[in-house]
Amino acid sequence: MSTAGFARRDTALRELMDDPACDATRLRRTLERFAVVNRLVSGWGGVYREHIRPLARRRAADGTPLRILDIGCGGGDVLERLIALARADGAEVDAVGIDPDARSLAVALARPGHRADYRRAHSSDLVAELATGAARFDVVISNHVLHHLDDAALATVLRDSDALARSLVVHSDIARSPVAYAAYAVGITPLAPGSFLRTDGLRSIRRSWTPRELAPALPAGWQVLRPGRFRLLAVRGERP
């Protein structure tokens, strides 16, 4: 594919795993293998150290739980990793993962020793619960969700995240580029057989934002950060 094909987001592409009728076995394998893929490409260890650890250590010091919400949690691997990292820093963690797809939640709930509460819900469902006295979260995150969203859905998720997070929001995604596309096409080969990882991953890259595209779509007080060459973060920094 020529570099001209990356000049803008290809929002007409749809990922195979988003089809309700997709092959269930290939979908399960895809969701399970995300645990390896995210370890390799998503950089959440660095994101935790840079953005979440200071808050986790403060919660550990004052003896209150660190409350984390993962929007579009998929199979739960990112959220479970953050729980482990925060607990290693001495924090008690109260974590919730939400996803509208029951197939994803089934994988999360089947994870041995999972420590988060997984719910089938949209972010707006949790915003509605705030009116009933539900507690807000210290940190709201997502991983590889933004590129799935059209403009209206993006605005909704950002607005909901702002309402749900009393301290910090970090949405992590891919930074679109032909180099990212080529590197993933080669690197994913050993993990791809019997799954949607290759096709959907390449489609994800073509649907993804560049930092310059995403920045104007963010509300005031948000910023786009580049934690790595192929990554971007939409961050609403900590509130006092």
mmCIF file of all heavy atoms in Angstrom, residues 32-82:
data_model
loop_
_atom_site.group_PDB
_atom_site.id
_atom_site.type_symbol
_atom_site.label_atom_id
_atom_site.label_comp_id
_atom_site.label_asym_id
_atom_site.label_seq_id
_atom_site.Cartn_x
_atom_site.Cartn_y
_atom_site.Cartn_z
ATOM 1 N N GLU A 32 -7.961 -13.528 23.392
ATOM 2 C CA GLU A 32 -6.980 -14.111 24.307
ATOM 3 C C GLU A 32 -5.562 -13.684 23.948
ATOM 4 O O GLU A 32 -4.742 -13.400 24.833
ATOM 5 C CB GLU A 32 -7.097 -15.629 24.291
ATOM 6 C CG GLU A 32 -8.388 -16.152 24.921
ATOM 7 C CD GLU A 32 -8.577 -17.635 24.748
ATOM 8 O OE1 GLU A 32 -7.876 -18.253 23.907
ATOM 9 O OE2 GLU A 32 -9.443 -18.205 25.452
ATOM 10 N N ARG A 33 -5.269 -13.607 22.660
ATOM 11 C CA ARG A 33 -3.905 -13.252 22.237
ATOM 12 C C ARG A 33 -3.632 -11.764 22.356
ATOM 13 O O ARG A 33 -2.469 -11.340 22.285
ATOM 14 C CB ARG A 33 -3.672 -13.737 20.802
ATOM 15 C CG ARG A 33 -3.655 -15.255 20.694
ATOM 16 C CD ARG A 33 -3.501 -15.730 19.259
ATOM 17 N NE ARG A 33 -3.828 -17.141 19.147
ATOM 18 C CZ ARG A 33 -3.867 -17.824 18.001
ATOM 19 N NH1 ARG A 33 -3.595 -17.186 16.864
ATOM 20 N NH2 ARG A 33 -4.186 -19.099 17.998
ATOM 21 N N PHE A 34 -4.666 -10.957 22.548
ATOM 22 C CA PHE A 34 -4.435 -9.538 22.793
ATOM 23 C C PHE A 34 -3.532 -9.325 24.013
ATOM 24 O O PHE A 34 -2.835 -8.316 24.106
ATOM 25 C CB PHE A 34 -5.751 -8.801 23.011
ATOM 26 C CG PHE A 34 -6.442 -8.379 21.749
ATOM 27 C CD1 PHE A 34 -7.814 -8.219 21.725
ATOM 28 C CD2 PHE A 34 -5.729 -8.113 20.588
ATOM 29 C CE1 PHE A 34 -8.468 -7.825 20.571
ATOM 30 C CE2 PHE A 34 -6.359 -7.715 19.432
ATOM 31 C CZ PHE A 34 -7.740 -7.565 19.412
ATOM 32 N N ALA A 35 -3.568 -10.262 24.948
ATOM 33 C CA ALA A 35 -2.718 -10.125 26.126
ATOM 34 C C ALA A 35 -1.248 -10.050 25.721
ATOM 35 O O ALA A 35 -0.469 -9.281 26.297
ATOM 36 C CB ALA A 35 -2.955 -11.291 27.083
ATOM 37 N N VAL A 36 -0.853 -10.832 24.735
ATOM 38 C CA VAL A 36 0.528 -10.797 24.234
ATOM 39 C C VAL A 36 0.738 -9.568 23.362
ATOM 40 O O VAL A 36 1.736 -8.852 23.505
ATOM 41 C CB VAL A 36 0.848 -12.081 23.446
ATOM 42 C CG1 VAL A 36 2.255 -12.010 22.859
ATOM 43 C CG2 VAL A 36 0.690 -13.309 24.335
ATOM 44 N N VAL A 37 -0.202 -9.304 22.457
ATOM 45 C CA VAL A 37 -0.059 -8.167 21.539
ATOM 46 C C VAL A 37 0.052 -6.862 22.318
ATOM 47 O O VAL A 37 0.922 -6.017 22.036
ATOM 48 C CB VAL A 37 -1.240 -8.117 20.550
ATOM 49 C CG1 VAL A 37 -1.172 -6.855 19.690
ATOM 50 C CG2 VAL A 37 -1.249 -9.361 19.675
ATOM 51 N N ASN A 38 -0.802 -6.676 23.305
ATOM 52 C CA ASN A 38 -0.768 -5.426 24.062
ATOM 53 C C ASN A 38 0.518 -5.282 24.866
ATOM 54 O O ASN A 38 1.035 -4.169 25.031
ATOM 55 C CB ASN A 38 -1.991 -5.335 24.983
ATOM 56 C CG ASN A 38 -3.246 -4.985 24.213
ATOM 57 O OD1 ASN A 38 -3.214 -4.242 23.248
ATOM 58 N ND2 ASN A 38 -4.380 -5.537 24.642
ATOM 59 N N ARG A 39 1.052 -6.379 25.361
ATOM 60 C CA ARG A 39 2.344 -6.322 26.052
ATOM 61 C C ARG A 39 3.442 -5.830 25.109
ATOM 62 O O ARG A 39 4.347 -5.091 25.507
ATOM 63 C CB ARG A 39 2.721 -7.709 26.571
ATOM 64 C CG ARG A 39 1.997 -8.112 27.827
ATOM 65 C CD ARG A 39 2.783 -7.682 29.047
ATOM 66 N NE ARG A 39 2.176 -8.179 30.272
ATOM 67 C CZ ARG A 39 2.780 -8.150 31.453
ATOM 68 N NH1 ARG A 39 4.002 -7.650 31.561
ATOM 69 N NH2 ARG A 39 2.178 -8.591 32.524
ATOM 70 N N LEU A 40 3.336 -6.245 23.841
ATOM 71 C CA LEU A 40 4.374 -5.925 22.877
ATOM 72 C C LEU A 40 4.246 -4.522 22.301
ATOM 73 O O LEU A 40 5.261 -3.864 22.027
ATOM 74 C CB LEU A 40 4.355 -6.952 21.729
ATOM 75 C CG LEU A 40 4.739 -8.380 22.087
ATOM 76 C CD1 LEU A 40 4.510 -9.305 20.897
ATOM 77 C CD2 LEU A 40 6.197 -8.453 22.538
ATOM 78 N N VAL A 41 3.007 -4.043 22.105
ATOM 79 C CA VAL A 41 2.861 -2.811 21.324
ATOM 80 C C VAL A 41 2.180 -1.660 22.051
ATOM 81 O O VAL A 41 2.313 -0.507 21.615
ATOM 82 C CB VAL A 41 2.094 -3.085 20.006
ATOM 83 C CG1 VAL A 41 2.741 -4.206 19.214
ATOM 84 C CG2 VAL A 41 0.620 -3.402 20.251
ATOM 85 N N SER A 42 1.454 -1.922 23.128
ATOM 86 C CA SER A 42 0.602 -0.873 23.684
ATOM 87 C C SER A 42 1.277 0.009 24.726
ATOM 88 O O SER A 42 0.778 1.090 25.037
ATOM 89 C CB SER A 42 -0.677 -1.486 24.283
ATOM 90 O OG SER A 42 -1.450 -2.063 23.253
ATOM 91 N N GLY A 43 2.370 -0.449 25.302
ATOM 92 C CA GLY A 43 3.161 0.411 26.167
ATOM 93 C C GLY A 43 2.530 0.805 27.486
ATOM 94 O O GLY A 43 2.855 1.860 28.043
ATOM 95 N N TRP A 44 1.656 -0.040 28.046
ATOM 96 C CA TRP A 44 0.978 0.355 29.273
ATOM 97 C C TRP A 44 1.890 0.361 30.486
ATOM 98 O O TRP A 44 1.611 1.052 31.483
ATOM 99 C CB TRP A 44 -0.242 -0.527 29.519
ATOM 100 C CG TRP A 44 -1.423 -0.027 28.756
ATOM 101 C CD1 TRP A 44 -1.895 -0.495 27.560
ATOM 102 C CD2 TRP A 44 -2.258 1.074 29.120
ATOM 103 N NE1 TRP A 44 -2.966 0.249 27.153
ATOM 104 C CE2 TRP A 44 -3.227 1.212 28.090
ATOM 105 C CE3 TRP A 44 -2.297 1.938 30.198
ATOM 106 C CZ2 TRP A 44 -4.214 2.195 28.125
ATOM 107 C CZ3 TRP A 44 -3.282 2.925 30.244
ATOM 108 C CH2 TRP A 44 -4.221 3.047 29.218
ATOM 109 N N GLY A 45 3.004 -0.362 30.436
ATOM 110 C CA GLY A 45 3.946 -0.274 31.534
ATOM 111 C C GLY A 45 4.484 1.149 31.675
ATOM 112 O O GLY A 45 4.518 1.713 32.778
ATOM 113 N N GLY A 46 4.878 1.737 30.551
ATOM 114 C CA GLY A 46 5.354 3.108 30.574
ATOM 115 C C GLY A 46 4.262 4.099 30.909
ATOM 116 O O GLY A 46 4.500 5.080 31.633
ATOM 117 N N VAL A 47 3.059 3.873 30.391
ATOM 118 C CA VAL A 47 1.935 4.762 30.711
ATOM 119 C C VAL A 47 1.643 4.728 32.200
ATOM 120 O O VAL A 47 1.399 5.770 32.833
ATOM 121 C CB VAL A 47 0.687 4.363 29.897
ATOM 122 C CG1 VAL A 47 -0.533 5.145 30.363
ATOM 123 C CG2 VAL A 47 0.928 4.593 28.409
ATOM 124 N N TYR A 48 1.679 3.541 32.788
ATOM 125 C CA TYR A 48 1.453 3.441 34.230
ATOM 126 C C TYR A 48 2.507 4.230 34.997
ATOM 127 O O TYR A 48 2.178 5.027 35.890
ATOM 128 C CB TYR A 48 1.457 1.975 34.677
ATOM 129 C CG TYR A 48 1.384 1.849 36.186
ATOM 130 C CD1 TYR A 48 0.170 1.952 36.849
ATOM 131 C CD2 TYR A 48 2.543 1.708 36.953
ATOM 132 C CE1 TYR A 48 0.097 1.887 38.230
ATOM 133 C CE2 TYR A 48 2.480 1.648 38.329
ATOM 134 C CZ TYR A 48 1.254 1.740 38.963
ATOM 135 O OH TYR A 48 1.195 1.696 40.329
ATOM 136 N N ARG A 49 3.770 4.015 34.657
ATOM 137 C CA ARG A 49 4.844 4.676 35.404
ATOM 138 C C ARG A 49 4.757 6.196 35.281
ATOM 139 O O ARG A 49 4.957 6.924 36.263
ATOM 140 C CB ARG A 49 6.200 4.185 34.908
ATOM 141 C CG ARG A 49 6.508 2.740 35.284
ATOM 142 C CD ARG A 49 7.927 2.363 34.955
ATOM 143 N NE ARG A 49 8.210 2.397 33.517
ATOM 144 C CZ ARG A 49 8.012 1.374 32.706
ATOM 145 N NH1 ARG A 49 7.511 0.234 33.171
ATOM 146 N NH2 ARG A 49 8.301 1.466 31.426
ATOM 147 N N GLU A 50 4.445 6.676 34.092
ATOM 148 C CA GLU A 50 4.449 8.119 33.850
ATOM 149 C C GLU A 50 3.206 8.816 34.384
ATOM 150 O O GLU A 50 3.281 9.922 34.926
ATOM 151 C CB GLU A 50 4.562 8.376 32.344
ATOM 152 C CG GLU A 50 4.552 9.836 31.943
ATOM 153 C CD GLU A 50 5.827 10.565 32.332
ATOM 154 O OE1 GLU A 50 6.848 9.881 32.601
ATOM 155 O OE2 GLU A 50 5.790 11.807 32.392
ATOM 156 N N HIS A 51 2.045 8.174 34.262
ATOM 157 C CA HIS A 51 0.793 8.878 34.522
ATOM 158 C C HIS A 51 0.011 8.367 35.738
ATOM 159 O O HIS A 51 -0.648 9.161 36.419
ATOM 160 C CB HIS A 51 -0.105 8.796 33.280
ATOM 161 C CG HIS A 51 0.484 9.451 32.081
ATOM 162 N ND1 HIS A 51 0.447 10.814 31.885
ATOM 163 C CD2 HIS A 51 1.142 8.926 31.005
ATOM 164 C CE1 HIS A 51 1.041 11.111 30.742
ATOM 165 N NE2 HIS A 51 1.479 9.989 30.200
ATOM 166 N N ILE A 52 0.035 7.059 35.982
ATOM 167 C CA ILE A 52 -0.849 6.484 36.996
ATOM 168 C C ILE A 52 -0.125 6.227 38.309
ATOM 169 O O ILE A 52 -0.711 6.366 39.386
ATOM 170 C CB ILE A 52 -1.505 5.188 36.452
ATOM 171 C CG1 ILE A 52 -2.288 5.495 35.170
ATOM 172 C CG2 ILE A 52 -2.423 4.570 37.500
ATOM 173 C CD1 ILE A 52 -2.835 4.260 34.472
ATOM 174 N N ARG A 53 1.137 5.863 38.249
ATOM 175 C CA ARG A 53 1.861 5.509 39.472
ATOM 176 C C ARG A 53 1.836 6.590 40.548
ATOM 177 O O ARG A 53 1.622 6.260 41.729
ATOM 178 C CB ARG A 53 3.302 5.133 39.141
ATOM 179 C CG ARG A 53 4.180 4.953 40.381
ATOM 180 C CD ARG A 53 5.548 4.456 40.039
ATOM 181 N NE ARG A 53 5.585 3.004 39.948
ATOM 182 C CZ ARG A 53 6.581 2.321 39.383
ATOM 183 N NH1 ARG A 53 7.583 2.984 38.814
ATOM 184 N NH2 ARG A 53 6.556 1.004 39.367
ATOM 185 N N PRO A 54 2.024 7.871 40.209
ATOM 186 C CA PRO A 54 1.990 8.875 41.287
ATOM 187 C C PRO A 54 0.678 8.864 42.064
ATOM 188 O O PRO A 54 0.672 8.986 43.303
ATOM 189 C CB PRO A 54 2.187 10.199 40.539
ATOM 190 C CG PRO A 54 2.942 9.818 39.300
ATOM 191 C CD PRO A 54 2.392 8.486 38.909
ATOM 192 N N LEU A 55 -0.431 8.677 41.355
ATOM 193 C CA LEU A 55 -1.726 8.616 42.017
ATOM 194 C C LEU A 55 -1.864 7.336 42.828
ATOM 195 O O LEU A 55 -2.385 7.342 43.957
ATOM 196 C CB LEU A 55 -2.835 8.719 40.972
ATOM 197 C CG LEU A 55 -4.278 8.724 41.465
ATOM 198 C CD1 LEU A 55 -4.514 9.833 42.479
ATOM 199 C CD2 LEU A 55 -5.230 8.868 40.279
ATOM 200 N N ALA A 56 -1.391 6.211 42.271
ATOM 201 C CA ALA A 56 -1.452 4.940 43.000
ATOM 202 C C ALA A 56 -0.677 5.029 44.313
ATOM 203 O O ALA A 56 -1.124 4.538 45.356
ATOM 204 C CB ALA A 56 -0.905 3.808 42.133
ATOM 205 N N ARG A 57 0.479 5.663 44.282
ATOM 206 C CA ARG A 57 1.286 5.772 45.497
ATOM 207 C C ARG A 57 0.636 6.694 46.518
ATOM 208 O O ARG A 57 0.746 6.462 47.725
ATOM 209 C CB ARG A 57 2.687 6.250 45.123
ATOM 210 C CG ARG A 57 3.508 5.150 44.443
ATOM 211 C CD ARG A 57 4.891 5.604 44.070
ATOM 212 N NE ARG A 57 5.724 4.466 43.682
ATOM 213 C CZ ARG A 57 6.957 4.578 43.178
ATOM 214 N NH1 ARG A 57 7.496 5.784 43.014
ATOM 215 N NH2 ARG A 57 7.641 3.494 42.847
ATOM 216 N N ARG A 58 -0.047 7.726 46.062
ATOM 217 C CA ARG A 58 -0.764 8.585 47.013
ATOM 218 C C ARG A 58 -1.905 7.827 47.663
ATOM 219 O O ARG A 58 -2.158 7.974 48.864
ATOM 220 C CB ARG A 58 -1.273 9.846 46.301
ATOM 221 C CG ARG A 58 -0.171 10.799 45.908
ATOM 222 C CD ARG A 58 -0.697 12.211 45.724
ATOM 223 N NE ARG A 58 -1.694 12.301 44.669
ATOM 224 C CZ ARG A 58 -1.394 12.455 43.392
ATOM 225 N NH1 ARG A 58 -0.131 12.506 42.989
ATOM 226 N NH2 ARG A 58 -2.350 12.555 42.486
ATOM 227 N N ARG A 59 -2.621 7.024 46.883
ATOM 228 C CA ARG A 59 -3.696 6.225 47.456
ATOM 229 C C ARG A 59 -3.127 5.209 48.444
ATOM 230 O O ARG A 59 -3.730 4.932 49.484
ATOM 231 C CB ARG A 59 -4.483 5.513 46.354
ATOM 232 C CG ARG A 59 -5.295 6.446 45.478
ATOM 233 C CD ARG A 59 -6.463 7.033 46.253
ATOM 234 N NE ARG A 59 -7.211 7.980 45.433
ATOM 235 C CZ ARG A 59 -6.994 9.294 45.420
ATOM 236 N NH1 ARG A 59 -6.050 9.819 46.190
ATOM 237 N NH2 ARG A 59 -7.700 10.084 44.648
ATOM 238 N N ALA A 60 -1.983 4.626 48.121
ATOM 239 C CA ALA A 60 -1.357 3.682 49.047
ATOM 240 C C ALA A 60 -0.988 4.377 50.353
ATOM 241 O O ALA A 60 -1.151 3.820 51.447
ATOM 242 C CB ALA A 60 -0.114 3.064 48.408
ATOM 243 N N ALA A 61 -0.515 5.612 50.244
ATOM 244 C CA ALA A 61 -0.090 6.345 51.433
ATOM 245 C C ALA A 61 -1.266 6.740 52.316
ATOM 246 O O ALA A 61 -1.154 6.722 53.552
ATOM 247 C CB ALA A 61 0.698 7.586 51.025
ATOM 248 N N ASP A 62 -2.400 7.100 51.693
ATOM 249 C CA ASP A 62 -3.539 7.539 52.519
ATOM 250 C C ASP A 62 -4.520 6.412 52.825
ATOM 251 O O ASP A 62 -5.524 6.617 53.506
ATOM 252 C CB ASP A 62 -4.253 8.742 51.892
ATOM 253 C CG ASP A 62 -4.897 8.440 50.542
ATOM 254 O OD1 ASP A 62 -5.247 7.275 50.275
ATOM 255 O OD2 ASP A 62 -5.068 9.388 49.747
ATOM 256 N N GLY A 63 -4.228 5.205 52.309
ATOM 257 C CA GLY A 63 -5.024 4.038 52.674
ATOM 258 C C GLY A 63 -6.377 3.950 52.008
ATOM 259 O O GLY A 63 -7.248 3.205 52.481
ATOM 260 N N THR A 64 -6.576 4.666 50.905
ATOM 261 C CA THR A 64 -7.846 4.588 50.168
ATOM 262 C C THR A 64 -7.636 3.838 48.865
ATOM 263 O O THR A 64 -6.559 3.895 48.269
ATOM 264 C CB THR A 64 -8.398 5.989 49.879
ATOM 265 O OG1 THR A 64 -7.436 6.730 49.119
ATOM 266 C CG2 THR A 64 -8.707 6.723 51.166
ATOM 267 N N PRO A 65 -8.663 3.118 48.385
ATOM 268 C CA PRO A 65 -8.496 2.352 47.154
ATOM 269 C C PRO A 65 -8.311 3.254 45.930
ATOM 270 O O PRO A 65 -8.873 4.349 45.851
ATOM 271 C CB PRO A 65 -9.816 1.561 47.038
ATOM 272 C CG PRO A 65 -10.416 1.593 48.395
ATOM 273 C CD PRO A 65 -9.979 2.883 49.017
ATOM 274 N N LEU A 66 -7.512 2.779 44.995
ATOM 275 C CA LEU A 66 -7.397 3.406 43.684
ATOM 276 C C LEU A 66 -8.498 2.824 42.806
ATOM 277 O O LEU A 66 -8.523 1.625 42.540
ATOM 278 C CB LEU A 66 -6.030 3.118 43.076
ATOM 279 C CG LEU A 66 -5.793 3.662 41.667
ATOM 280 C CD1 LEU A 66 -5.632 5.188 41.711
ATOM 281 C CD2 LEU A 66 -4.562 3.007 41.029
ATOM 282 N N ARG A 67 -9.429 3.675 42.360
ATOM 283 C CA ARG A 67 -10.552 3.205 41.543
ATOM 284 C C ARG A 67 -10.236 3.449 40.067
ATOM 285 O O ARG A 67 -9.972 4.575 39.637
ATOM 286 C CB ARG A 67 -11.853 3.921 41.916
ATOM 287 C CG ARG A 67 -12.238 3.752 43.381
ATOM 288 C CD ARG A 67 -13.724 4.032 43.586
ATOM 289 N NE ARG A 67 -14.550 2.944 43.077
ATOM 290 C CZ ARG A 67 -15.584 3.097 42.244
ATOM 291 N NH1 ARG A 67 -15.926 4.306 41.814
ATOM 292 N NH2 ARG A 67 -16.290 2.060 41.838
ATOM 293 N N ILE A 68 -10.263 2.360 39.278
ATOM 294 C CA ILE A 68 -9.919 2.408 37.862
ATOM 295 C C ILE A 68 -11.105 1.913 37.046
ATOM 296 O O ILE A 68 -11.699 0.875 37.357
ATOM 297 C CB ILE A 68 -8.693 1.536 37.536
ATOM 298 C CG1 ILE A 68 -7.503 1.900 38.414
ATOM 299 C CG2 ILE A 68 -8.330 1.659 36.059
ATOM 300 C CD1 ILE A 68 -6.302 0.972 38.227
ATOM 301 N N LEU A 69 -11.425 2.625 35.975
ATOM 302 C CA LEU A 69 -12.432 2.192 35.007
ATOM 303 C C LEU A 69 -11.769 2.025 33.651
ATOM 304 O O LEU A 69 -11.082 2.930 33.163
ATOM 305 C CB LEU A 69 -13.554 3.226 34.896
ATOM 306 C CG LEU A 69 -14.570 2.985 33.768
ATOM 307 C CD1 LEU A 69 -15.392 1.721 34.026
ATOM 308 C CD2 LEU A 69 -15.491 4.197 33.591
ATOM 309 N N ASP A 70 -12.006 0.874 33.022
ATOM 310 C CA ASP A 70 -11.525 0.599 31.665
ATOM 311 C C ASP A 70 -12.733 0.557 30.737
ATOM 312 O O ASP A 70 -13.581 -0.333 30.837
ATOM 313 C CB ASP A 70 -10.779 -0.730 31.643
ATOM 314 C CG ASP A 70 -10.126 -1.045 30.302
ATOM 315 O OD1 ASP A 70 -10.330 -0.268 29.337
ATOM 316 O OD2 ASP A 70 -9.421 -2.064 30.220
ATOM 317 N N ILE A 71 -12.826 1.531 29.835
ATOM 318 C CA ILE A 71 -13.929 1.612 28.878
ATOM 319 C C ILE A 71 -13.566 0.791 27.646
ATOM 320 O O ILE A 71 -12.525 1.004 27.024
ATOM 321 C CB ILE A 71 -14.205 3.072 28.485
ATOM 322 C CG1 ILE A 71 -14.674 3.880 29.699
ATOM 323 C CG2 ILE A 71 -15.243 3.147 27.361
ATOM 324 C CD1 ILE A 71 -14.843 5.365 29.414
ATOM 325 N N GLY A 72 -14.447 -0.144 27.271
ATOM 326 C CA GLY A 72 -14.146 -1.032 26.149
ATOM 327 C C GLY A 72 -13.026 -1.985 26.511
ATOM 328 O O GLY A 72 -12.053 -2.151 25.769
ATOM 329 N N CYS A 73 -13.184 -2.670 27.629
ATOM 330 C CA CYS A 73 -12.090 -3.437 28.240
ATOM 331 C C CYS A 73 -11.704 -4.686 27.479
ATOM 332 O O CYS A 73 -10.654 -5.271 27.749
ATOM 333 C CB CYS A 73 -12.453 -3.812 29.670
ATOM 334 S SG CYS A 73 -13.899 -4.902 29.796
ATOM 335 N N GLY A 74 -12.527 -5.144 26.527
ATOM 336 C CA GLY A 74 -12.202 -6.358 25.792
ATOM 337 C C GLY A 74 -12.016 -7.538 26.727
ATOM 338 O O GLY A 74 -12.799 -7.762 27.648
ATOM 339 N N GLY A 75 -10.926 -8.286 26.504
ATOM 340 C CA GLY A 75 -10.664 -9.465 27.327
ATOM 341 C C GLY A 75 -10.045 -9.169 28.671
ATOM 342 O O GLY A 75 -9.724 -10.108 29.423
ATOM 343 N N GLY A 76 -9.845 -7.894 29.010
ATOM 344 C CA GLY A 76 -9.436 -7.520 30.356
ATOM 345 C C GLY A 76 -7.951 -7.537 30.638
ATOM 346 O O GLY A 76 -7.540 -7.241 31.762
ATOM 347 N N ASP A 77 -7.114 -7.826 29.639
ATOM 348 C CA ASP A 77 -5.684 -7.981 29.933
ATOM 349 C C ASP A 77 -5.029 -6.674 30.377
ATOM 350 O O ASP A 77 -4.184 -6.679 31.288
ATOM 351 C CB ASP A 77 -4.947 -8.558 28.721
ATOM 352 C CG ASP A 77 -5.050 -7.678 27.488
ATOM 353 O OD1 ASP A 77 -6.120 -7.679 26.865
ATOM 354 O OD2 ASP A 77 -4.076 -6.988 27.156
ATOM 355 N N VAL A 78 -5.394 -5.550 29.757
ATOM 356 C CA VAL A 78 -4.790 -4.276 30.150
ATOM 357 C C VAL A 78 -5.188 -3.909 31.571
ATOM 358 O O VAL A 78 -4.349 -3.519 32.397
ATOM 359 C CB VAL A 78 -5.178 -3.156 29.165
ATOM 360 C CG1 VAL A 78 -4.776 -1.784 29.713
ATOM 361 C CG2 VAL A 78 -4.530 -3.389 27.808
ATOM 362 N N LEU A 79 -6.462 -4.037 31.886
ATOM 363 C CA LEU A 79 -6.928 -3.682 33.223
ATOM 364 C C LEU A 79 -6.292 -4.567 34.276
ATOM 365 O O LEU A 79 -5.853 -4.076 35.336
ATOM 366 C CB LEU A 79 -8.453 -3.789 33.282
ATOM 367 C CG LEU A 79 -9.110 -3.380 34.598
ATOM 368 C CD1 LEU A 79 -8.716 -1.964 34.996
ATOM 369 C CD2 LEU A 79 -10.629 -3.506 34.487
ATOM 370 N N GLU A 80 -6.196 -5.862 34.030
ATOM 371 C CA GLU A 80 -5.587 -6.764 35.008
ATOM 372 C C GLU A 80 -4.115 -6.425 35.213
ATOM 373 O O GLU A 80 -3.597 -6.513 36.338
ATOM 374 C CB GLU A 80 -5.753 -8.218 34.562
ATOM 375 C CG GLU A 80 -7.193 -8.696 34.499
ATOM 376 C CD GLU A 80 -7.860 -8.805 35.862
ATOM 377 O OE1 GLU A 80 -7.145 -8.984 36.880
ATOM 378 O OE2 GLU A 80 -9.104 -8.712 35.921
ATOM 379 N N ARG A 81 -3.430 -5.999 34.160
ATOM 380 C CA ARG A 81 -2.036 -5.609 34.311
ATOM 381 C C ARG A 81 -1.902 -4.357 35.171
ATOM 382 O O ARG A 81 -1.023 -4.267 36.026
ATOM 383 C CB ARG A 81 -1.401 -5.379 32.946
ATOM 384 C CG ARG A 81 0.096 -5.106 33.047
ATOM 385 C CD ARG A 81 0.731 -4.880 31.713
ATOM 386 N NE ARG A 81 2.170 -4.677 31.847
ATOM 387 C CZ ARG A 81 2.930 -4.143 30.916
ATOM 388 N NH1 ARG A 81 2.398 -3.775 29.755
ATOM 389 N NH2 ARG A 81 4.223 -3.979 31.116
ATOM 390 N N LEU A 82 -2.780 -3.382 34.956
ATOM 391 C CA LEU A 82 -2.722 -2.158 35.757
ATOM 392 C C LEU A 82 -3.020 -2.448 37.227
ATOM 393 O O LEU A 82 -2.406 -1.850 38.122
ATOM 394 C CB LEU A 82 -3.699 -1.129 35.209
ATOM 395 C CG LEU A 82 -3.369 -0.555 33.833
ATOM 396 C CD1 LEU A 82 -4.421 0.456 33.414
ATOM 397 C CD2 LEU A 82 -1.988 0.087 33.811
#
